[in-house]
Amino acid sequence: MNEVKWLDSAVFYEIYPQSFKDTNGDGIGDFRGIAEKLDYIKELGCTAIWMNPCYDSPFLDAGYDVRDYYKAAPRYGTNDDLKALFGEIHRRGMHILLDLVPGHTSWEHEWFRQSCRGERNEFTDRYIWTDNTWEAPEGMNALIGIAERVGACGVNFFSHQPALNYGYYKPKPDKPWQQPTDAPGPKATLEAMKDIMRFWLNMGCDGFRVDMAPSLIKNDEDRKGVIALWQDVRAFLDREFPDAAMVSEWGEPDKSLLGGFHMDFLLHFGPSHYNDLFRCDKPFFGGEGDASEFVKTYKENLAKSGGKGLMCIPSGNHDMIRLAKYLRGDELKMAFAFLMSMPGAPFIYYGDEIGMRYVEGLYSVEGGYERTGSRSPMQWDGTENAGFSTAPADKLYIKLDPSADRPTAQAQMNDPGSLLNEVKKLVSIRAEHKALQSRGDIVFVSAGGPGEPLAYVRSGAGERILVVLNPTDSKVTVAAGGVPDRQIYSLGGTAEANGSDITAEPRSACWYVLR
Ligand code: NOJ
Ligand code: CA
């Protein structure tokens, strides 16, 4: 597998295109808007973008319900506009990953319409159908009573997202509709997905974030079937697009990286304990929490995945409650001092860099439900609609944060003490030290148990850097694992070095180069 060198120093920015920047006054973000704001993203220090689905869709799940994989959603622009956006991104030395949704389509997709027909055709086996209208596939919700054909069709997420058929790892003999992964139907589905990847890679995207990557093959408890499927995809990419970068929405790096993904996310679901740090009653960065389970799982994952790829920690994403609901002020800065000093490529969810808040009390928009409040328009400045759009306020995709003191990028640019400037500083220090980047090693020296700091030594390219994050109310001393030499970052007071010990003030963070 190709290494994809640019990932070594990558910092990603996630764009939810609906809410980023509207240029034609229809209240919804668009490709041109993203192009206009690329310099902002570049100045922040991000080197790459992940953009949520931008394909033609009825938008019952914000675009994760694709109607046509080959067509940009008209509300964002044309395929040519998207190609032009790729060009603008590359001109700035940046990269972009599109969002691949291989597990299901919209029920409005032409494949599904054909698949519903009574007469056998090319798409009859494209989705998971049982042979009894009253029997849903085991463990799945299903669409029943909507087709000419006999059978129930399994859905992956919402009811309008029929599951594509990649087969069953262990088909049950008494259920002949469960097809093995090498049956013609499942094989054709996978080839169709490769064609879609070809199309966008040829147009100039640099790879994909893959939605629900572990879910494609059913009855596959240990994920052996789906690991083999992704290895097959990687082999195809290595032959035709060796530089295509892949990140999985999976959360089990030992498995996803074995499947050939370069990167996997540590997520708000799954076993990572990610939420212990940021999103729970007592998040670690709030000062009274406990990071030790996170550290334990992190170390296990690191050992199991054997340096095969990157474990990526996001500040948030379009499915999580905003970081600023649980953390505020310097707590947010400390969370970023963590994110920007961990191995793997960090992902910043748009607006988290200015501490955008979770907007409470919204009705669901496009299948967002409780996620809707994390998807509100980006707050650019103090002008109308926070500079997001010139549409009347009631025409905006999602209501803006109504608070008078809502943060904006513009105000924070002008404030040296702002979160935005802190994040910029952290990203730029990371860019200067290989040890802090994706592939530098990590050794934990304090696991962040109750009342303890989280501290670790990053190393690479002949340098060792100690990171101490002390969100607690007490002064703490940690054994640095080397002699502290030079402080390259501090928050909330300077840490004091004494021999090979470091003493950090309450609610402070520091990055220290060791001799
Ligand atoms: C995960 C995506 O991140 C989420 O937004 C979507 O609703 C589901 N997958 C279904 O595709
Ligand atoms: Ca628009």
Side-chain angles (χ1 to χ4, degrees):
M1 181 169 80
N2 199 340
E3 283 243 308
V4 189
K5 281 315 273 177
W6 61 267
L7 296 179
D8 291 1
S9 55
V11 178
F12 280 86
Y13 192 83
E14 181 191 342
I15 295 179
Y16 185 74
Q18 292 87 321
S19 292
F20 201 53
K21 170 75 187 170
D22 171 25
T23 54
N24 65 349
D26 64 355
I28 207 147
D30 42 55
F31 296 142
R32 294 227 166 116
I34 295 171
E36 271 184 20
K37 295 297 184 183
L38 288 175
D39 289 333
Y40 168 83
I41 298 169
K42 173 134 189 157
E43 265 170 46
L44 183 57
C46 291
T47 61
I49 289 167
W50 153 32
M51 180 167 64
N52 293 110
C54 59
Y55 319 103
D56 181 48
S57 166
F59 290 104
L60 296 174
D61 184 15
Y64 284 95
D65 48 332
V66 179
R67 184 165 51 202
D68 183 348
Y69 287 101
Y70 290 97
K71 186 181 167 197
R75 71 190 200 180
Y76 301 136
T78 63
N79 283 16
D80 282 344
D81 294 332
L82 182 53
K83 191 173 175 181
L85 176 62
F86 295 163
E88 287 296 316
I89 289 168
H90 294 149
R91 203 163 63 73
R92 289 167 174 80
M94 299 162 76
H95 294 91
I96 176 161
L97 306 185
L98 293 185
D99 208 319
L100 185 72
V101 192
H104 46 265
T105 66
S106 156
W107 60 11
E108 291 189 19
H109 197 293
E110 187 55 27
W111 295 347
F112 189 63
R113 293 186 190 273
Q114 294 297 327
S115 197
C116 285
R117 288 176 53 192
E119 208 168 279
R120 220 186 139 73
N121 62 61
E122 193 190 336
F123 302 102
T124 302
D125 295 330
R126 175 85 15 133
Y127 296 83
I128 298 181
W129 290 91
T130 65
D131 55 10
N132 176 343
T133 303
W134 313 108
E135 181 196 338
E138 235 173 54
M140 295 176 87
N141 292 321
L143 287 162
I144 64 165
I146 54 147
E148 255 175 32
R149 72 186 277 173
V150 168
C153 185
V155 299
N156 269 347
F157 198 67
F158 290 131
S159 305
H160 51 76
Q161 288 161 315
L164 285 162
N165 178 24
Y166 296 87
Y168 277 69
Y169 186 58
K170 288 186 192 145
K172 294 198 172 141
D174 61 332
K175 303 217 183 288
W177 53 267
Q178 295 190 351
Q179 301 176 351
T181 56
D182 59 356
K187 275 169 77 180
T189 308
L190 184 56
E191 290 313 308
M193 211 40 69
K194 288 180 192 166
D195 281 342
I196 291 159
M197 296 172 80
R198 264 188 201 101
F199 179 81
W200 293 108
L201 289 165
N202 278 327
M203 191 175 284
C205 85
D206 299 293
F208 300 95
R209 174 268 189 186
V210 177
D211 187 63
M212 293 176 72
S215 74
L216 303 195
I217 291 180
K218 309 301 180 194
N219 212 350
D220 180 25
E221 219 183 304
D222 299 327
R223 311 278 193 216
K224 291 206 176 95
V226 83
I227 289 171
L229 178 148
W230 286 114
Q231 285 173 340
D232 178 285
V233 171
R234 190 63 243 174
F236 139 70
L237 291 171
D238 282 346
R239 276 192 308 274
E240 297 182 31
F241 303 94
D243 295 331
M246 300 286 282
V247 55
S248 46
E249 186 199 29
W250 191 320
E252 293 177 302
D254 54 319
K255 298 190 174 112
S256 51
L257 303 179
L258 185 62
F261 283 96
H262 300 102
M263 307 174 264
D264 190 12
F265 286 113
L266 300 184
L267 291 160
H268 54 304
F269 56 82
S272 72
H273 286 271
Y274 165 88
N275 275 346
D276 297 2
L277 304 182
F278 307 106
R279 291 172 183 78
C280 59
D281 277 352
K282 292 187 173 167
F284 177 74
F285 292 112
E288 292 180 342
D290 180 355
S292 60
E293 286 298 317
F294 169 82
V295 171
K296 182 165 163 263
T297 336
Y298 191 90
K299 286 187 345 206
E300 284 166 9
N301 275 327
L302 210 54
K304 279 195 285 188
S305 55
K308 235 182 260 98
L310 307 179
M311 301 197 285
C312 298
I313 311 181
S315 69
N317 71 23
H318 61 290
D319 293 332
M320 298 183 205
I321 302 300
R322 286 263 184 202
L323 200 59
K325 172 147 171 139
Y326 298 92
L327 304 175
R328 38 193 66 82
D330 278 5
E331 297 168 357
L332 284 167
K333 292 181 178 172
M334 195 176 306
F336 276 97
F338 164 77
L339 292 164
M340 294 307 145
S341 60
M342 283 296 280
F347 279 68
I348 301 175
Y349 181 51
Y350 84 94
D352 278 354
E353 74 279 16
I354 57 169
M356 261 175 65
R357 300 180 187 129
Y358 179 77
V359 183
E360 305 281 349
L362 297 178
Y363 290 125
S364 179
V365 174
E366 294 190 343
Y369 297 95
E370 76 286 355
R371 306 174 294 183
T372 306
S374 299
R375 300 175 172 185
S376 61
M378 177 67 184
Q379 292 150 206
W380 292 108
D381 55 35
T383 64
E384 194 194 350
N385 296 328
F388 163 68
S389 169
T390 56
D394 64 339
K395 289 284 180 309
L396 300 186
Y397 170 70
I398 290 176
K399 283 195 184 115
L400 270 157
D401 177 352
S403 39
D405 65 344
R406 66 184 172 215
T408 68
Q410 182 68 50
Q412 293 205 8
M413 274 179 216
N414 301 330
D415 170 5
S418 68
L419 180 61
L420 178 64
N421 279 316
E422 198 76 7
V423 176
K424 266 192 205 175
K425 190 201 291 177
L426 288 160
V427 177
S428 81
I429 303 174
R430 180 181 173 98
E432 285 163 16
H433 299 271
K434 274 224 157 346
L436 292 171
Q437 296 170 10
S438 306
R439 292 186 205 282
D441 281 340
I442 182 164
V443 173
F444 289 91
V445 296
S446 176
E452 280 174 19
L454 177 58
Y456 41 90
V457 176
R458 300 290 321 276
S459 59
E463 199 174 43
R464 298 171 69 219
I465 297 173
L466 171 74
V467 172
V468 181
L469 306 165
N470 177 28
T472 75
D473 277 331
S474 327
K475 231 181 189 177
V476 294
T477 299
V478 298
V483 181
D485 183 28
R486 183 164 57 96
Q487 185 156 294
I488 51 175
Y489 171 76
S490 73
L491 168 72
T494 317
E496 257 179 55
N498 181 2
S500 60
D501 284 348
I502 283 268
T503 301
E505 294 295 315
R507 302 192 169 267
S508 76
C510 73
W511 297 359
Y512 234 109
V513 177
L514 301 178
R515 222 175 316 174

